[in-house]
Amino acid sequence: MNGKLYGIGLGPGDPELMTLKAHRLIKAARVVAYPTLAGAESFARSIAENIIAPDAVEIKIDIPMTVAREPAQAAYDIGAAAITEHLSQGQDVVVLCEGDPFFYGSFMYLFSRLSDRFESEIVPGVTSVTACAAVAKTPLSARNEVLTIIPGPLGDTEMRSRIDATGSAVIMKVGRHLGRIRALLDDMGLSARTTFIARASLPSQQVLPLGRAPDPAPYFSMILITKGQDPWLN
Amino acid sequence: MNGKLYGIGLGPGDPELMTLKAHRLIKAARVVAYPTLAGAESFARSIAENIIAPDAVEIKIDIPMTVAREPAQAAYDIGAAAITEHLSQGQDVVVLCEGDPFFYGSFMYLFSRLSDRFESEIVPGVTSVTACAAVAKTPLSARNEVLTIIPGPLGDTEMRSRIDATGSAVIMKVGRHLGRIRALLDDMGLSARTTFIARASLPSQQVLPLGRAPDPAPYFSMILITKGQDPWLN
């Protein structure tokens, strides 16, 4: 009998924002897998490090830093093959995912390679989006407001039309795009309704007016725009 | 010295999808508050019921079932006054919130009434959005895809333009709007890329093709549309 594949969301960074279910499954795991980016330390692993069993097998899936498709695809192929070996021997494999496994994560590339052949379960996690709203003390969306999640690398024209059309917006993966996005939001007259948050829930967390945000911003940073004002709040 | 106000996200329904931090704070709470809708049982309280101390004070904030603003505002005023009494006496108050406190919840109406006067902390939770994606085994969004969260009561014209403009969409609070939304998605040719999910993570959970969804749908149900296809998945 084959083992089961788990994609486990670990939340935004504070280990206490892990779910009880994630905690239970990771503590019991005999095989743990996680992606690393170009050899850097795995953020997902760092969230779980205190509960991974010392004798657990660890599968490190190193993803090259590139926008090209083929090298990353090859890395996921290699990772999926390593996981397959354990699943085929009847061992469950727990894949550690920062945030939520199906929300802008790399887990879906392993899932798409493995879920046809093996039983799987996804354990959702707290996303950086609601963690940022919490530390910024800013409600995200209420009642009939539309909320749009926008990746930072999106071009100016598309980003502007998405922000124009929504009540609240969250711009993810700001990083080196900060200067460009800040200029766009200034031009749209939205700077005053905008908060910059980096590494929400970690000790190094930053919550700043967008005008004071560091440029370039850390990779794990976002901009929260609460344009629409719920009349019930007043 | 005043007490502290906590808004605590409990996740989508399975008590094991509560965070470790929510679990710790609720277990220790001496005063617990939660909204109920027109006298019905509180969903948030039901998620936490096994860990609320038997001798904790419980503040029930009954919200009338109405689209009118004034009666609900009056109910939040009464709830905020009851919470104020405890905070002023130096007692912390934990407000239980299904999902996440700042994501389409009622907590923000208490927060807006209390956060100027009292210290507060928001503990983010797993939202129904990622819980639904997990049980539907459907990745929400990848790489540079835009994800739009759309409340079900939104009118057809606006809903159509929002769905047209996005990669993936989640329609929340489907309930009695199911028939209308299903007709719209059929007309847009999107039915095949659409999943209906009710009460994700609870024993009564339903995951169905949209064509087989019950009409009217339960209040806690949503429709997941994954229109954009990440080329890296293939």
Side-chain angles (χ1 to χ4, degrees):
Chain A
M1 207 170 117
N2 287 328
K4 185 171 169 181
L5 173 70
Y6 290 91
I8 301 195
L10 293 171
D14 175 354
E16 229 196 344
L17 293 179
M18 192 184 303
T19 64
L20 301 171
K21 188 167 186 173
H23 190 265
R24 171 175 63 81
L25 290 169
I26 294 167
K27 262 190 97 151
R30 310 305 312 147
V31 185
V32 171
Y34 45 85
T36 59
L37 196 58
E41 202 209 346
S42 159
F43 180 40
R45 189 190 185 285
S46 75
I47 301 172
E49 63 186 350
N50 289 332
I51 56 170
I52 297 171
D55 58 346
V57 173
E58 300 195 23
I59 301 173
K60 194 180 292 192
I61 304 167
D62 197 54
I63 311 298
M65 188 92 79
T66 166
V67 291
R69 181 178 162 182
E70 289 73 14
Q73 294 287 73
Y76 289 119
D77 287 342
I78 293 168
I83 292 172
T84 294
E85 205 169 304
H86 291 278
L87 293 172
S88 306
Q89 289 166 16
Q91 294 175 302
D92 295 344
V93 178
V94 158
V95 181
L96 307 178
C97 312
E98 59 233 21
D100 180 276
F102 276 169
F103 186 76
Y104 299 101
S106 56
F107 174 71
M108 56 189 85
Y109 305 113
L110 297 170
F111 180 79
S112 69
R113 285 164 170 75
L114 296 165
S115 62
D116 284 351
R117 284 176 292 155
F118 300 102
E119 194 192 350
S120 63
E121 182 174 346
I122 314 303
V123 179
V126 174
T127 67
S128 52
V129 170
T130 64
C132 282
V135 301
K137 302 262 174 93
T138 303
L140 272 173
S141 46
R143 299 174 56 76
N144 293 340
E145 287 174 358
V146 172
L147 169 66
T148 307
I149 317 290
I150 303 172
L154 217 65
D156 273 11
T157 310
E158 195 177 347
M159 192 178 287
R160 181 188 284 266
S161 77
R162 296 287 178 272
I163 296 170
D164 264 337
T166 195
S168 293
V170 177
I171 306 176
M172 312 248 307
K173 311 186 209 178
V174 171
R176 63 189 174 81
H177 303 279
L178 184 112
R180 182 177 61 84
I181 298 170
R182 180 155 55 192
L184 178 69
L185 293 171
D186 279 345
D187 189 58
M188 295 179 76
L190 289 172
S191 302
R193 294 187 165 281
T194 299
T195 310
F196 170 86
I197 306 109
R199 306 186 205 86
S201 87
L202 288 172
S204 58
Q205 149 189 313
Q206 291 181 300
V207 181
L208 295 168
L210 186 55
R212 288 177 43 213
D215 183 10
Y219 181 75
F220 285 109
S221 60
M222 59 174 68
I223 296 170
L224 186 53
I225 307 164
T226 49
K227 194 178 41 160
Q229 190 61 23
D230 179 1
W232 282 43
L233 284 178
N234 299 314
Chain B
M1 204 172 117
N2 286 327
K4 186 170 168 181
L5 173 71
Y6 289 92
I8 300 196
L10 293 170
D14 175 354
E16 228 196 345
L17 292 179
M18 191 184 303
T19 63
L20 301 171
K21 186 167 188 176
H23 190 265
R24 170 174 64 83
L25 290 168
I26 295 167
K27 263 191 97 152
R30 309 307 311 147
V31 185
V32 171
Y34 45 85
T36 59
L37 197 59
E41 201 208 347
S42 159
F43 180 40
R45 189 190 185 286
S46 75
I47 301 172
E49 64 186 349
N50 288 332
I51 56 169
I52 297 172
D55 58 347
V57 173
E58 300 196 22
I59 301 173
K60 195 180 289 191
I61 304 167
D62 197 54
I63 311 299
M65 187 92 79
T66 165
V67 290
R69 180 178 162 180
E70 289 74 14
Q73 294 287 72
Y76 289 118
D77 286 342
I78 293 167
I83 292 172
T84 294
E85 206 170 303
H86 290 278
L87 293 174
S88 306
Q89 289 165 18
Q91 292 175 303
D92 294 344
V93 177
V94 158
V95 181
L96 307 177
C97 312
E98 59 233 20
D100 179 277
F102 275 169
F103 187 77
Y104 299 102
S106 55
F107 174 70
M108 57 189 86
Y109 306 113
L110 298 170
F111 180 78
S112 69
R113 285 164 170 77
L114 297 165
S115 61
D116 284 351
R117 283 176 294 155
F118 300 103
E119 194 193 349
S120 63
E121 182 174 345
I122 313 303
V123 179
V126 174
T127 67
S128 53
V129 169
T130 65
C132 282
V135 302
K137 302 260 174 96
T138 303
L140 272 174
S141 46
R143 297 174 57 75
N144 292 340
E145 288 174 357
V146 172
L147 169 67
T148 306
I149 316 291
I150 302 171
L154 216 67
D156 273 10
T157 310
E158 196 177 347
M159 192 178 287
R160 181 188 284 265
S161 77
R162 296 286 179 273
I163 297 170
D164 264 338
T166 195
S168 293
V170 177
I171 305 176
M172 311 251 306
K173 312 187 210 178
V174 171
R176 63 189 173 80
H177 302 280
L178 184 111
R180 180 177 64 81
I181 298 170
R182 180 154 56 193
L184 177 69
L185 293 172
D186 278 346
D187 189 57
M188 294 178 76
L190 289 172
S191 303
R193 293 187 166 282
T194 299
T195 309
F196 169 86
I197 305 109
R199 306 185 203 85
S201 85
L202 289 172
S204 59
Q205 151 189 312
Q206 291 182 300
V207 181
L208 295 167
L210 186 55
R212 289 177 44 213
D215 183 10
Y219 179 74
F220 286 109
S221 60
M222 60 174 67
I223 296 170
L224 185 53
I225 307 164
T226 49
K227 196 178 42 158
Q229 189 62 24
D230 179 0
W232 282 42
L233 284 178
N234 300 313

